[in-house]
Amino acid sequence: MVATPPVLVFMGPAGTGKSTVAGMLAGRLGWDFQEGDDLHPEANVAKMAAGHALNDDDRWPWLDRVAAWIDGQRAAGRPGIITCSALKRSYRDVLRRDDVTFVLLMGDPALVLERLLRRQGHYMPPSLLTSQFETLQMPDADERAIRVDLDLTPSQQVQEVIDRLSLDIAPA
């Protein structure tokens, strides 16, 4: 039996650098990359843009779309990387597969707020960051997850993920 290629889910609150680091890693590995925010239903985007936090009912259709992308990668036999806040265990349970590893980018909330305040062109307002940290349930020992510190540069974070998960870099 052939092993299913891995899928990495970059998780954590807004502003932690999920898209940046995941995109850089996908480029280094030659893997498919999906920005999970692009899978949000329009109603979710409008709600967040208006400064309102999503509730569980808002998130389930989005998580189903993220899970469908993961399943598509697995069915195609292709490794992939997707971003998804996956703040609660129940959300990660929707995404969990034997070959899925969660990569939590985490650090000081003040640093994350500083990053959000500098970010341009994203619908997620900094005012919702507190609710994200309040919602965040750290992965338990029985979840396949690693934590990467925000004190590292994005390049260092990419290298840490490669090293900790023993990933093979794509030939140049």
Side-chain angles (χ1 to χ4, degrees):
M1 181 168 175
V2 177
T4 306
V7 174
L8 305 181
V9 177
F10 274 71
M11 62 168 286
T16 57
K18 295 182 297 290
S19 299
T20 298
V21 177
M24 288 173 64
L25 180 62
R28 289 267 314 267
L29 299 174
W31 290 11
D32 295 338
F33 171 67
Q34 174 63 54
E35 171 55 60
D37 283 346
D38 293 345
L39 301 178
H40 268 294
E42 288 182 29
N44 286 9
V45 174
K47 187 172 184 177
M48 288 183 283
H52 303 289
L54 299 180
N55 60 40
D56 286 352
D57 289 337
D58 298 323
R59 286 190 178 96
W60 298 127
W62 173 57
L63 291 166
D64 287 341
R65 290 177 178 186
V66 172
W69 187 88
I70 291 169
D71 290 339
Q73 290 300 114
R74 296 174 78 233
R78 298 184 54 83
I81 300 173
I82 189 166
T83 59
C84 175
S85 54
L87 298 174
K88 290 184 179 181
R89 182 183 177 111
S90 60
Y91 305 161
R92 294 188 297 275
D93 288 345
V94 172
L95 309 177
R96 192 178 338 276
R97 311 287 188 271
D98 288 341
D99 47 359
V100 169
T101 300
F102 295 95
V103 178
L104 172 61
L105 300 182
M106 196 60 189
D108 181 5
L111 173 62
V112 178
L113 178 59
E114 180 184 311
R115 288 177 170 192
L116 272 180
L117 291 171
R118 288 193 317 253
R119 186 162 75 174
Q120 301 292 315
H122 195 277
Y123 56 79
M124 177 74 170
S127 61
L128 294 182
L129 182 62
T130 299
S131 72
Q132 290 217 322
F133 274 100
E134 289 170 352
T135 301
L136 177 63
Q137 297 171 347
M138 300 301 281
D140 291 320
D142 67 331
E143 296 181 81
R144 182 180 295 159
I146 64 170
R147 179 180 167 155
V148 178
D149 199 306
L150 293 183
D151 287 337
L152 301 172
T153 67
S155 294
Q156 290 170 325
Q157 290 171 337
V158 166
Q159 191 60 52
E160 181 166 340
V161 173
I162 289 169
D163 293 345
R164 290 183 59 195
L165 298 178
S166 301
L167 301 173
D168 294 324
I169 299 172

